[in-house]
Amino acid sequence: EEYSREQINWKELTFTDNQACIDLIAAKPHGILRILDDQSCFPQATDNTFLQKCHYHHGNNPLYSKPKMPLPEFTVYHYAGRVTYQ
């Protein structure tokens, strides 16, 4: 309404609820960041143990993707599109 009153050209953006992605990344007890924090407390933890736990807890989540080949990475689908983390 404010833009219209001030005659500012703009396009309305469709907002998508990102709660499912936020939960994937940060929810207790198995969000990706929670798993990372947990793994940081174990001296024997490795990148591989972190990835295994992420794959175990999120492998069936449509917003999470494991690599087809055994690579040290995972992909999250969110507002920025498909982003792969190593």
Side-chain angles (χ1 to χ4, degrees), residues 6-47:
E6 294 185 21
Q7 298 178 347
I8 297 172
N9 292 329
W10 64 284
K11 286 185 185 180
E12 185 171 336
L13 298 175
T14 304
F15 174 76
T16 302
D17 184 0
N18 288 312
Q19 189 61 51
C21 187
I22 292 168
D23 291 343
L24 168 68
I25 295 169
K28 290 181 181 180
H30 301 297
I32 293 170
L33 293 177
R34 302 293 179 164
I35 294 171
L36 181 61
D37 187 49
D38 182 56
Q39 289 288 293
S40 298
C41 295
F42 294 106
Q44 291 81 18
T46 64
D47 292 347

